[in-house]
Each structure stands twice: as structure tokens, then as C-alpha cells.
């Protein structure tokens, strides 16, 4: 997707020779090409960097101020270079919603995914044998997922409290029901099979939680843009595509962190280490999950472009007619799929 370029001009001083060097940057686009998976992966490794969670209010405000000054083509502070501008852009985008421009709740930011999910997932994989433990940790997980899904929704339309509560209750019920049912069915099977019950519950809950949390998008549509960035309308079909992509990415995000640790822990359980130090069970699982998530989170976010596309021919007939009446000669439109 192309867009109107914003040209950032600044002067770098040389110590021996006095001259101006003009740099041209387009801060409306990611630093790396989003047409390739490698470029999207580099982009999301930066966006989901857990260190961004540690940024202070002042750090974020400074980043926002510098980024906005650059976008508005205002005079920049002396000494600002290209790397400073890219850092400001990514700090800003890690904390502010792309559509509403509001600062996102810290636990809902993608930079909080690794530290939060490694703790919750590690505990789900450790405490999966008893019904009270299953109910508690699935509830904690779905509470966190609800925060993430709401925070990273697509579009700028608010979600009603009733819709928010409905999706939260349904997803939590689905996850707990799946986990308890599978726990009963796998009691007589090898212990390794039982260790995968939490992943099945999480996958089922994602299929419930994300569509419900974003159900308003399915009924009202999400903004779709031309390749020049002009808003041409709202599309329900684009919303369906966005939600499918995000659901697939979220399940893929959870897979390594919930598939690899059971194999490792099952092997360790047969040795003497965990028998001598049973309290190490949870810390080891949390550490393994954290390592997996550090890579799985950005790599799965990068599976689909953030600004996904849909052919105009696949839009609703009324929207196709509107585009034609407005004289827009476009075959493809773009939308923010959310995260």
C-alpha cells in the first residue's frame, strides 16, 4: 500500500567541514518493507520488544512529541538523526493505537505479550491436573486475552460494555469447558497427552474470544482505504478477513510455547532433578515458554501484513457501488487487521 510521503529534512554537522547533508525519510511506513515476510518480522521484533514495557511516561511522551514534529514537518531538535526518528516512531507505535491514537493500556500492548504470556502459559502448563487450578488459570488467561483483544481491535469505533462482557464470559466458559472435558478424557492416556490440554483450551478460546470481542466489526464493518490512504468506506467482509487472520496468528503464537515445554518437562519428569527440586517445575516451564514466545510473538504477528488488502470485487455490493460512484479507479483496498 502506497501513501503520501512525509519528507523529514534535518542537518547533520561535520566537525571538520561545514556543510549540510539532507536526509529523506518516510515515517508513515515501517522501516522495513512489508511486502516480504522478513521485512514484517523485523518490524514486529521491534514493535513487540518487551523492553518497551519499561518505558516511562516521559519516554513515551518524548517519543510521541518527536514523532509528531517529524510527521508535521516541524523543525527538529539539534542533533536528532535518522536512528532517533525511527526509535521515536517505534516507541510511539508500541504504546498508541494506530486508529484511535489513544495511549493503550500497558497490559494490552503487544510489547507486554512475552512477559505476561510466559508467566500465564507457564502456570497453565504446570497446574493443569486439578479442576480448581484449571479454572483459575484459564480464567486468568482469558481475562488477559480480553484486555489484549480489546486494546488491539481494528478501527476507531467503541465496544459496548455488554458486548465486552458477553465475549469475555463466552471465551472463559469455552476455555474452561474445553480444558475440563479434555482433562477427563485424557486421564487414562499417557501423561504427555494431558500436558497438551491447555493448548487445546487456548486454541478453542481464541476461536471464541476474538470474533466475539470484535463482533461490532462484523456488524458495522471496519475502515477500508485506497492505496493513497483515502478512506472509502466500512466493510464487513474486510472485518471477517481481519478476524480470521488475527485468530490464526494468535493460535500460531501460542503453539511453540505450549507444544515444546511439555516435551521437555516430560523428559525431565523421568529424571531425578525435578524429584529432588519439585519447586523448579514452574520456573523452568515459565523460562522455556518465555524463550519460545520471544520468537513466536513477532514471527506470528508477521504472518500477514498489518495493512491487509482485499479486492474491491469481494467487498459488499453497496460499497462497490459507492466506490464506483465516487470515481475511484481502484481494484484493491486496504485495512488495518488489528493484532
Amino acid at each position: 500500500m502506497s501513501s503520501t510521503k512525509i519528507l523529514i529534512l534535518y542537518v547533520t554537522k561535520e566537525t571538520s567541514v561545514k556543510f549540510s547533508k539532507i536526509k529523506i525519510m518516510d515515517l508513515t511506513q515501517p522501516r522495513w518493507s512489508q511486502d516480504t515476510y522478513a521485512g514484517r518480522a523485523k518490524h514486529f521484533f521491534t514493535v513487540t520488544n518487551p523492553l518497551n514495557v519499561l518505558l516511562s511516561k516521559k519516554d513515551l511522551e518524548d517519543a510521541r512529541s518527536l514523532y509528531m514534529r517529524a510527521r508535521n514537518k516541524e523543525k527538529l531538535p539539534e542533533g536528532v538523526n535518522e536512528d532517533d526518528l525511527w526509535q521515536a516512531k517505534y516507541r510511539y507505535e508500541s504504546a498508541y493505537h494506530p486508529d484511535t491514537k489513544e495511549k493503550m493500556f500497558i497490559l494490552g500492548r503487544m510489547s507486554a505479550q512475552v512477559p505476561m504470556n510466559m508467566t500465564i502459559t507457564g502456570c497453565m502448563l504446570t497446574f493443569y491436573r486439578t479442576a480448581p487450578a484449571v479454572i483459575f488459570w484459564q480464567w486468568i488467561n482469558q481475562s488477559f486475552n480480553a484486555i489484549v483483544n480489546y486494546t488491539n481491535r481494528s478501527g476507531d469505533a467503541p465496544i459496548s460494555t455488554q458486548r465486552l462482557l458477553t465475549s469475555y464470559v463466552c471465551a472463559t466458559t469455552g476455555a474452561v469447558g474445553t480444558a475440563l472435558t479434555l482433562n477427563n478424557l485424557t486421564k487414562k492416556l499417557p501423561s504427555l497427552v494431558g500436558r497438551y490440554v491447555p493448548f487445546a483450551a487456548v486454541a478453542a478460546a481464541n476461536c471464541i474470544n476474538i470474533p466475539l470481542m470484535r463482533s461490532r466489526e462484523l456488524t458495522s464493518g471496519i475502515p477500508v482505504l485506497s492505496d493513497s490512504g483515502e478512506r472509502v468506506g466500512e466493510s464487513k467482509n474486510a472485518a471477517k478477513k481481519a478476524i480470521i487472520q488475527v485468530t490464526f496468528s494468535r493460535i500460531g503464537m501460542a503453539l511453540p510455547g505450549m507444544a515444546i515445554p511439555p516435551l521437555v518437562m516430560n523428559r525431565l519428569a523421568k529424571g531425578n532433578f525435578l524429584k529432588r527440586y519439585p519447586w523448579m517445575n514452574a520456573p523452568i516451564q515459565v523460562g522455556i515458554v518465555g524463550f519460545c514466545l520471544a520468537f513466536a510473538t513477532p514471527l506470528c504477528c508477521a504472518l500477514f501484513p498489518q495493512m491487509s488488502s482485499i479486492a474491491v470485487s469481494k467487498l459488499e455490493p453497496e460499497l462497490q457501488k459507492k466506490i464506483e460512484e465516487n470515481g475511484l479507479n481502484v481494484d484493491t483496498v486496504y485495512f488495518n487487521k488489528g493484532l
Side-chain angles (χ1 to χ4, degrees), residues 30 113 129 195 274 279:
Q113 283 284 296
R129 297 182 183 276
R195 288 182 181 272
L274 288 181
W279 58 271

Side-chain angles (χ1 to χ4, degrees), residues 97 99 149-159 163 210-223 234-244 246 316 335-339:
H97 193 278
D99 294 326
N149 293 336
Y150 175 76
T151 304
N152 294 281
R153 66 198 183 279
S154 178
D156 50 14
I159 299 176
R163 190 168 301 209
I210 297 173
L212 281 175
M213 187 66 69
R214 297 176 59 173
S215 58
R216 190 191 183 288
E217 299 172 28
L218 296 173
T219 57
S220 302
I222 58 175
E234 289 74 37
S235 170
K236 300 171 191 174
N237 292 348
K240 293 175 186 175
K241 186 173 182 179
I243 289 171
I244 289 172
V246 170
E316 297 86 331
F335 57 91
N336 174 24
K337 69 177 175 63
L339 288 171

Side-chain angles (χ1 to χ4, degrees), residues 269-326:
K270 295 176 181 178
N272 294 322
F273 180 77
L274 288 181
K275 292 176 182 177
R276 292 180 60 187
Y277 307 102
W279 58 271
M280 285 296 294
N281 198 322
I284 291 175
Q285 296 219 66
V286 168
I288 298 172
V289 171
F291 178 80
C292 294
L293 285 174
F295 294 93
T297 300
L299 292 177
C300 288
C301 282
L303 289 175
F304 306 100
Q306 186 60 42
M307 293 303 293
S308 288
S309 61
I310 184 171
V312 171
S313 60
K314 293 184 178 180
L315 297 175
E316 297 86 331
E318 59 272 20
L319 183 53
Q320 293 185 42
K321 184 178 179 181
K322 179 182 176 182
I323 292 173
E324 185 179 350
E325 289 175 348
N326 289 339

Side-chain angles (χ1 to χ4, degrees), residues 3-8 24-30 86 89:
S3 63
T4 305
K5 289 184 179 293
I6 294 175
L7 303 183
I8 310 302
I24 301 178
M25 297 172 60
D26 181 8
L27 290 182
T28 63
Q29 299 297 314
W86 283 120
K89 169 187 169 66

Side-chain angles (χ1 to χ4, degrees), residues 103-309:
K103 185 183 288 185
M104 296 182 286
F105 178 52
I106 188 168
L107 296 183
R109 300 173 194 169
M110 293 309 293
S111 53
Q113 283 284 296
V114 172
M116 290 299 296
N117 269 327
M118 66 183 284
T119 304
I120 296 171
T121 302
C123 289
M124 281 196 298
L125 293 174
T126 303
F127 309 109
Y128 67 94
R129 297 182 183 276
T130 65
V134 167
I135 293 171
F136 177 76
W137 285 108
Q138 288 295 339
W139 167 66
I140 290 291
N141 187 50
Q142 290 314 311
S143 298
F144 174 64
N145 283 343
I147 292 171
V148 173
N149 293 336
Y150 175 76
T151 304
N152 294 281
R153 66 198 183 279
S154 178
D156 50 14
I159 299 176
S160 68
T161 303
Q162 181 180 358
R163 190 168 301 209
L164 194 65
L165 290 174
T166 299
S167 60
Y168 171 62
V169 171
C170 289
T172 303
T173 302
V176 171
T178 301
L180 292 177
T181 301
L182 291 178
N183 264 352
N184 286 330
L185 293 175
T186 58
K187 279 182 178 178
K188 296 181 180 181
L189 297 177
S191 60
L192 180 60
V193 177
R195 288 182 181 272
Y196 285 103
V197 167
F199 172 68
V202 167
N206 272 322
C207 293
I208 298 170
N209 198 348
I210 297 173
L212 281 175
M213 187 66 69
R214 297 176 59 173
S215 58
R216 190 191 183 288
E217 299 172 28
L218 296 173
T219 57
S220 302
I222 58 175
V224 290
L225 314 173
S226 67
D227 57 1
S228 63
E230 179 184 355
R231 185 165 175 164
V232 299
E234 289 74 37
S235 170
K236 300 171 191 174
N237 292 348
K240 293 175 186 175
K241 186 173 182 179
I243 289 171
I244 289 172
Q245 290 179 345
V246 170
T247 302
F248 185 82
S249 296
R250 290 286 187 84
I251 293 174
M253 215 180 285
L255 180 59
M258 301 192 84
I260 296 174
L263 295 174
V264 176
M265 298 309 295
N266 205 54
R267 175 64 66 89
L268 289 177
K270 295 176 181 178
N272 294 322
F273 180 77
L274 288 181
K275 292 176 182 177
R276 292 180 60 187
Y277 307 102
W279 58 271
M280 285 296 294
N281 198 322
I284 291 175
Q285 296 219 66
V286 168
I288 298 172
V289 171
F291 178 80
C292 294
L293 285 174
F295 294 93
T297 300
L299 292 177
C300 288
C301 282
L303 289 175
F304 306 100
Q306 186 60 42
M307 293 303 293
S308 288
S309 61

